[in-house]
Amino acid sequence: MIASNTSGAVRSAGTSPTPGDVLLSVRDISVSFGGIKALTTVSFDLRKGHILGLIGPNGAGKTTLFNCLSCLYRPWQGDISMNGKSILGQSPHRICDLGIGRTFQNVALFPQLSVADNIRVGAHARTRGDLISDALRLPWTLRRERQLDGQVGELLEFLELEEVADVLVSELPFGTQKRVELGRALAAKPSLLLLDEPAGGLTHGEVNALGELIVQIRNERNMAILLVEHHMGLVMSIADRVVALDFGRKLAEGTPGEVQSDPLVIKAYLGGEDG
Ligand code: ATP
């Protein structure tokens, strides 16, 4: 066993793969930095409504893969598709148009804006306005603003952020900031949510609450979630499937139980891993 199931988070209903459509397909992607092969012919699928955990020791290629999925890097070989359509070459600024939402390892919010306004920015990313209509406050502009208000209010309630709705993000503890960032990503209503080490810097109790929240998001919001995480207890307690990388190659893929007991994965983690 590479780690015990210590998070105490709610295990998702059924950890074995269930029949369903593939949302995200990663096919034989390779990425190099100079002479360093960060990823070598990595392939896997993420089904609609599944949580997929991406694990691996330091330098395994997790961040590189995450950056490919966020369209920040373009693999020199292979393809990545959403609902059967390639996303290669898309702008990282417009990934919300592809139905992809993401959070960042170190939180990337507007610190001098309130919690509600940060979430509103995420909701705005998915709406279409034009300068003249907005300046003239035309009826459809006001209707859209009311819709956004409702959406932001619903997310504040869902994430239990109502009490700090008007507080500047810079004044909040790190754990709360991470929840705001999740809210901003959810506001764009993605079908795929990419979470980059969401448990990093959180207390034990906050990690448990996060696990429950991620499962709730998957269950109630019809989203597939890809989770890059070092906290093995969290991954193993909520993921439907796990992909393990090492030295840029896929080492194992399967249910948390299968991957945890895979001899190659155990060997890769020998020498210590946190979580
Ligand atoms: P960690 O868990 O430590 O964040 P990781 O699994 O995310 O590691 P990557 O950051 O993707 O791994 O790195 C994979 C390999 O690619 C490593 O050997 C790393 O040094 C190399 N690498 C990553 N980014 C770059 C870059 N921009 N330039 C050069 N090499 C890089």
Side-chain angles (χ1 to χ4, degrees):
M1 297 285 280
I2 52 176
S4 59
N5 184 353
T6 53
S7 82
V10 174
R11 178 170 280 282
S12 59
T15 50
S16 57
T18 52
D21 297 327
V22 170
L23 177 70
L24 174 78
S25 180
V26 175
R27 280 287 153 270
D28 293 322
I29 65 163
S30 298
V31 176
S32 296
F33 298 104
I36 299 168
K37 287 184 173 173
L39 292 174
T40 306
T41 57
V42 172
S43 298
F44 63 87
D45 289 333
L46 170 52
R47 289 165 190 256
K48 287 174 183 162
H50 265 197
I51 298 173
L52 186 136
L54 186 63
I55 63 165
N58 290 331
K62 303 181 297 296
T63 305
T64 304
L65 180 48
F66 196 91
N67 286 338
C68 290
L69 299 175
S70 317
C71 300
L72 282 167
Y73 295 165
R74 183 173 184 157
W76 65 266
Q77 180 186 294
D79 195 16
I80 301 173
S81 58
M82 281 270 291
N83 290 312
K85 199 168 161 234
S86 178
I87 65 166
L88 295 190
Q90 299 288 331
S91 161
H93 305 296
R94 302 308 308 173
I95 59 169
C96 61
D97 291 342
L98 303 169
I100 301 174
R102 67 161 294 177
T103 64
F104 294 80
Q105 241 175 71
N106 297 316
V107 176
L109 293 165
F110 296 102
Q112 294 309 318
L113 288 185
S114 70
V115 168
D117 283 344
N118 267 281
I119 294 177
R120 203 178 176 83
V121 168
H124 257 295
R126 209 60 196 272
T127 63
R128 289 278 168 272
D130 68 86
L131 211 60
I132 294 172
S133 303
D134 287 352
L136 296 174
R137 311 285 292 159
L138 294 177
W140 55 85
T141 306
L142 297 174
R143 241 189 340 264
R144 198 185 68 220
E145 289 302 316
R146 271 200 300 276
Q147 270 173 6
L148 287 178
D149 287 343
Q151 209 185 323
V152 172
E154 189 274 327
L155 278 169
L156 289 169
E157 189 184 342
F158 177 69
L159 296 165
E160 296 177 5
L161 290 167
E162 286 163 302
E163 281 186 12
V164 292
D166 298 322
V167 177
L168 297 185
V169 157
S170 58
E171 294 170 6
L172 293 169
F174 188 65
T176 313
Q177 290 188 8
K178 284 208 144 183
R179 241 175 326 131
V180 178
E181 205 189 30
L182 200 48
R184 190 185 55 180
L186 292 177
K189 298 187 177 167
S191 48
L192 170 63
L193 184 60
L194 306 173
L195 302 178
D196 193 2
E197 296 195 22
L202 299 187
T203 64
H204 184 74
E206 286 174 333
V207 173
N208 289 346
L210 174 71
E212 291 177 11
L213 186 58
I214 293 172
V215 170
Q216 201 183 348
I217 290 168
R218 187 275 307 272
N219 291 349
E220 295 177 9
R221 290 177 184 253
N222 199 25
M223 285 177 198
I225 296 169
L226 186 136
L227 174 70
V228 171
E229 188 51 73
H230 275 288
H231 195 297
M232 214 57 72
L234 175 66
V235 175
M236 295 303 171
S237 63
I238 66 170
D240 297 293
R241 305 275 295 170
V242 177
V243 169
L245 298 178
D246 195 24
F247 293 114
R249 289 181 182 275
K250 188 169 82 173
L251 207 57
E253 179 179 359
T255 63
E258 286 165 351
V259 171
Q260 254 183 319
S261 55
D262 188 297
L264 289 176
V265 176
I266 294 169
K267 193 173 166 207
Y269 274 91
L270 278 180
E273 177 60 286
D274 49 340

